[in-house]
Structures are given as structure tokens and as C-alpha cells.
Amino acid sequence: MYYLIRDTLVECGSNKIYEEKFKYVAVLTPKEWEEQRDSFDMGIDLPLDVKDIHNTKAEVNYDSLTGTFSIPDRKDFSADYGKFAFALDEKGIVFIDPEGMADKIVKNIQRTKKWRIPSLERFIYDFLEQIIHDDLTIMERYEMELDDIEDSIMNEKDEINLVRINEIRGDIRDLRTHYEQLIDLGQELEENENNFFKQENVRYFRLFSNRMARLHDVASSLRDYTMQVRDLYQAQMDVKQNRIMSLLTIVTTIFMPLTLIAGWYGMNFYNMPELRTKYGYYVVIAVSVLIVVFSLIFFKKKKWL
């Protein structure tokens, strides 16, 4: 697909991008790129291998700027990343898109964006903005979910999904890494080493880099929050275990003298006078009850109960 950057993206034929004065956007499959790459005359030093994309980055060539995108799936961070490459110069930008992700973003821009002062720089800004458009909402949703988990921990509810906390932490980690790569990409574009962009329009890339820095800070804070929630859960578990151990210790302490009495009078020596006492059995019961009551009062006074 080929587009001209006018007040909106206007679809056109491949021959029009060389004839018109407007900047262009092209979205090609890897096969189409291999067939047409020489016609773009971008002076690319190395071939763009869309099968070997691992991150988001940009590289300066002699007469072009090339790079790759590796975009995590916001609906399922465990899924494969969306990957495509790009090449641009002062005339326009080409996306080499094996999976259709870049084509989807470009069509969304065509459908929703209209520019008073159209430019290649503004299109690139809007393209990058589409990638992170819903991220703040995603992180707000994660924060609310963590708040609910924290409330459950504080209220000592039984069902605490610790696995979910680790999943959120992993998703935020992936977003932070993605943001760091996008910040580097924005700075590379802002550098404008080959003077492809108008100086007054470089501000778009500065705006994007600043926005990415803020999102990165939010993601870092949220990641720290997940660790705090996990630590709080562990602390609550330790408190519960300590309560159980304290209760077991108290029970053991109360029954130790009773065990001594039972063991003492369980010896049944012939000359033990208590064995022939009429009220000996009841006396032992009373002594045992007094020991239990005294122990409970003592523990209560010491605030161990």
C-alpha cells in the first residue's frame, strides 16, 4: 500500500510517490520490498532482515535511516511480539511488514488523523503514538488490580493470587524494556544526523521522548508497587505463622504442668498416700483447673493472648 501525506493519508499508486511533491508512506511485504528496494534509492548499507528482529531500534545509514520494531501484545504479553522493519529518508518512509501490524497502524492513522500542517515528522509521531496509545490505561488497570490484592491481604482474605502478582510484574518489566527502546529510537530521530527532517519539526520527536520517559517512570513505580505488595503478602504470612506458633507455645506451656501431674500420679507406687485419699481425684482436678486459669490470666496480663 502507498500513501501520500497530505491533510490526511491519501492512498495512491506506487508511481505517484515519485511524481508528487508530498512525502509518502509505503507498507510492503518482505517480498515486495526485495523487488522494489532499488527504486526507493535509499542507500541502505545492510539488507533489512525481518526474520531477525529482536528489539526496537534505529540505525543511521549513508543516505537513510533504518530500524526495526518489536512490539509486545498488550492483550497477552506472553504472546509473540509484533515485528516489522522500516527505512526512511527525506522523501518518505517504507515499512517492511510481514505480519500486517504496521499496515493496521497506518490504516488507523488514515481513518482518525487529519493534519493542518502535514509533514513526515508529524506522521512518524502519530505512528509512534499509536503504539503506546492505551498504555496508560493498561497501567491504571494494573494499579487498581494491585490495590484490590493489597486490600485482600490487609483484610486477611484466604484467596490471594500470588501468581497474578508475578504476572503483572513480568508485564510491567516487558513494558519498561519496550519504553527504553522507544526512548532510544526517539532520541535517534531527534538527532537528525542526515538532516532528513525540518528543524522546526524535530520537536515532535522530543515530545515523544518526553512522553516515553514519563511512561517509563510510571512503569518503574508500578513495578516497585508489585514488589511491595508481594513483600506485604509475605509479611502477612509471617505474622500468621507467628500467631500459630505463639498459640502452640501457649498451649504447650499450659499443659506441661498438667502432663507432669499426670506422669507423677501415673506411677502408681504402692505407698503414694494420695492414691488412698477419699478426695484425691477431685483435688487433682481442682489443681489442674487452677493451673490452667492462672496460666491464662498470666498470658493475658503479658498480652501474649
Side-chain angles (χ1 to χ4, degrees), residues 52-270:
D52 190 31
I53 297 176
H54 303 289
N55 52 23
T56 299
K57 63 179 182 179
E59 297 178 354
V60 178
N61 299 284
Y62 173 74
D63 197 24
S64 66
L65 185 68
T66 60
T68 57
F69 281 92
S70 180
I71 303 174
D73 186 347
R74 268 56 170 182
K75 295 181 181 179
D76 183 7
F77 284 88
S78 62
D80 293 336
Y81 283 22
K83 299 178 180 181
F84 56 91
F86 72 91
L88 66 86
D89 60 11
E90 72 280 2
K91 300 183 292 293
I93 184 169
V94 181
F95 294 103
I96 301 91
D97 185 22
E99 301 172 358
M101 174 171 280
D103 183 56
K104 182 179 178 181
I105 296 173
V106 170
K107 286 181 178 178
N108 191 49
I109 293 174
Q110 182 190 30
R111 185 172 61 255
T112 60
K113 297 294 182 180
K114 189 172 184 179
W115 303 296
R116 185 180 299 274
I117 305 177
S119 65
L120 177 61
E121 298 87 347
R122 179 55 195 264
F123 165 79
I124 295 173
Y125 172 82
D126 285 336
F127 185 90
L128 295 173
E129 195 274 339
Q130 287 290 318
I131 295 175
I132 49 99
H133 182 263
D134 295 324
D135 284 10
L136 189 58
T137 302
I138 291 172
M139 286 190 282
E140 287 175 351
R141 187 167 67 246
Y142 279 153
E143 186 174 11
M144 292 175 62
E145 189 173 353
L146 288 170
D147 286 341
D148 291 339
I149 294 175
E150 184 180 19
D151 289 341
S152 298
I153 293 173
M154 296 302 295
N155 294 327
E156 297 185 357
K157 294 182 179 179
D158 293 334
E159 296 183 3
I160 304 299
N161 193 348
L162 188 61
V163 173
R164 180 54 183 161
I165 298 176
N166 292 329
E167 288 177 353
I168 294 175
R169 182 170 177 266
D171 294 349
I172 297 301
R173 181 196 60 226
D174 292 344
L175 280 176
R176 285 178 71 247
T177 301
H178 183 52
Y179 294 156
E180 290 167 358
Q181 295 172 4
L182 286 174
I183 290 172
D184 291 340
L185 175 65
Q187 291 173 344
E188 192 69 56
L189 294 172
E190 185 182 350
E191 187 69 24
N192 196 19
E193 184 175 336
N194 287 347
N195 293 316
F196 292 151
F197 310 121
K198 294 180 180 179
Q199 199 58 42
E200 63 269 21
N201 289 339
V202 173
R203 62 188 175 89
Y204 289 122
F205 307 133
R206 190 179 307 113
L207 286 172
F208 177 75
S209 295
N210 291 338
R211 182 175 180 185
M212 292 312 308
R214 290 193 296 272
L215 279 174
H216 184 272
D217 291 342
V218 172
S220 297
S221 298
L222 194 55
R223 183 172 179 269
D224 291 340
Y225 187 25
T226 61
M227 298 176 68
Q228 291 172 8
V229 172
R230 189 177 61 179
D231 291 343
L232 177 62
Y233 174 78
Q234 188 61 49
Q236 289 293 95
M237 292 300 296
D238 291 341
V239 168
K240 286 183 179 180
Q241 290 179 356
N242 288 337
R243 288 176 182 172
I244 294 172
M245 293 303 298
S246 297
L247 180 61
L248 291 176
T249 301
I250 290 171
V251 171
T252 301
T253 304
I254 290 174
F255 279 92
M256 279 180 63
L258 303 183
T259 304
L260 176 63
I261 293 174
W264 188 272
Y265 288 100
M267 292 184 291
N268 293 326
F269 286 120
Y270 181 77

Side-chain angles (χ1 to χ4, degrees), residues 24-70:
Y24 69 84
V25 176
V27 184
L28 307 177
T29 65
K31 182 179 179 181
E32 290 171 338
W33 166 252
E34 289 300 322
E35 293 172 350
Q36 303 176 34
R37 57 177 294 177
D38 292 338
S39 63
F40 290 99
D41 192 25
M42 287 188 173
I44 298 175
D45 300 331
L46 297 173
L48 293 172
D49 186 3
V50 294
K51 297 179 180 179
D52 190 31
I53 297 176
H54 303 289
N55 52 23
T56 299
K57 63 179 182 179
E59 297 178 354
V60 178
N61 299 284
Y62 173 74
D63 197 24
S64 66
L65 185 68
T66 60
T68 57
F69 281 92
S70 180

